[in-house]
Amino acid sequence: GENVEQHPSTLSVQEGDSAVIKCTYSDSASNYFPWYKQELGKGPQLIIDIRSNVGEKKDQRIAVTLNKTAKHFSLHITETQPEDSAVYFCAATLSGHTGTASKLTFGTGTRLQVTL
Amino acid sequence: DGGITQSPKYLFRKEGQNVTLSCEQNLNHDAMYWYRQDPGQGLRLIYYSQIVNDFQKGDIAEGYSVSREKKESFPLTVTSAQKNPTAFYLCASIGGLSYNEQFFGPGTRLTVL
């Protein structure tokens, strides 16, 4: 089955700096890679995702890159703000067709702390 | 206002007791999931269901049971057979055209006393 490794486990940056979180996956068939943000005591929320036919995707201050050959993908947050402080999870799956449930495999999470 | 609700938010249980966690969604999603989250670990899949009256074991199903009698509801029972049940439990659902984005509920924190 799929195995996802995520690094670092904790990351502290100053406000305004960039933050990068990296994940590797094992199953070359995986084709969908979402990133979730989880605030304390809440459920995770999808912040960005990428599919295997795309190398990079950007949404305002957040971007994700995918290297299929190396089987790794990264989350980039620019101009970090205190409200970016949270735990971030990467995940990977082989995307199912409509009517087939996808089983996400999650990384172990990165606790991002943005300091003033 | 569409979404996923989980209740209760906090739950305390004595050892040896079964307890049922509620998960309801009004998103008209077909697939629903239960995850367990422990400190310093990712989300681990307990059970999932693609359609009503059908469900499959995930990676850590031992000591848990589920039912899917209605599309909107996917309750999880933590049985006394679960050796270490204290954890944060998350319910999620998938639907829509992409059939990939998982929407999560707010979670239930279960503590065994």
Side-chain angles (χ1 to χ4, degrees):
Chain A
E2 176 66 275
N3 182 51
V4 176
E5 295 190 359
Q6 183 173 346
H7 299 281
S9 57
T10 60
L11 180 59
S12 182
V13 299
Q14 284 198 322
E15 184 179 7
D17 288 349
S18 295
V20 180
I21 302 170
K22 299 181 179 181
C23 289
T24 60
Y25 61 99
S26 61
D27 188 350
S28 56
S30 289
N31 60 3
Y32 175 67
F33 308 92
W35 285 88
Y36 285 85
K37 176 183 180 182
Q38 185 177 28
E39 297 178 346
L40 191 63
K42 297 183 179 180
Q45 282 193 313
L46 180 73
I47 56 171
I48 196 168
D49 57 12
I50 192 167
R51 300 180 192 280
S52 58
N53 59 347
V54 175
E56 183 174 358
K57 184 177 179 181
K58 191 173 181 179
D59 182 5
Q60 299 183 341
R61 297 186 296 108
I62 295 173
V64 57
T65 59
L66 171 65
N67 183 327
K68 286 193 297 182
T69 303
K71 291 190 285 188
H72 64 69
F73 56 112
S74 300
L75 177 70
H76 304 253
I77 306 174
T78 58
E79 301 172 20
T80 54
Q81 301 168 3
E83 51 265 39
D84 294 330
S85 297
V87 178
Y88 292 82
F89 290 96
C90 62
T93 189
L94 172 60
S95 169
H97 299 292
T98 299
T100 303
S102 294
K103 290 174 57 179
L104 288 172
T105 299
F106 286 85
T108 51
T110 296
R111 182 173 299 279
L112 174 64
Q113 180 71 44
V114 180
T115 59
L116 297 173
Chain B
D1 198 16
I4 301 176
T5 57
Q6 290 185 243
S7 60
K9 188 171 178 64
Y10 299 97
L11 190 56
F12 297 89
R13 183 195 102 175
K14 293 182 180 180
E15 270 192 50
Q17 289 181 336
N18 292 356
V19 64
T20 297
L21 283 60
S22 169
C23 177
E24 303 279 331
Q25 54 98 359
N26 60 5
L27 300 166
N28 199 33
H29 285 175
D30 292 314
M32 297 186 73
Y33 303 75
W34 273 106
Y35 292 92
R36 171 181 172 138
Q37 186 174 28
D38 295 283
Q41 298 194 35
L43 282 67
R44 293 184 290 168
L45 183 64
I46 304 173
Y47 268 97
Y48 65 105
S49 166
Q50 297 192 60
I51 56 173
V52 173
N53 292 324
D54 181 65
F55 47 84
Q56 289 82 39
K57 292 182 178 180
D59 301 319
I60 56 166
E62 186 175 351
Y64 300 98
S65 66
V66 293
S67 63
R68 187 85 187 276
E69 296 177 3
K70 299 186 300 181
K71 187 176 185 178
E72 304 78 22
S73 178
F74 191 40
L76 172 74
T77 296
V78 184
T79 75
S80 55
Q82 169 50 234
K83 299 302 180 188
N84 185 21
T86 295
F88 190 50
Y89 291 87
L90 288 159
C91 178
S93 69
I94 280 185
L97 295 176
S98 68
Y99 220 78
N100 280 297
E101 180 180 350
Q102 290 199 7
F103 292 85
F104 283 86
T108 292
R109 186 165 298 280
L110 172 65
T111 303
V112 174
L113 303 173

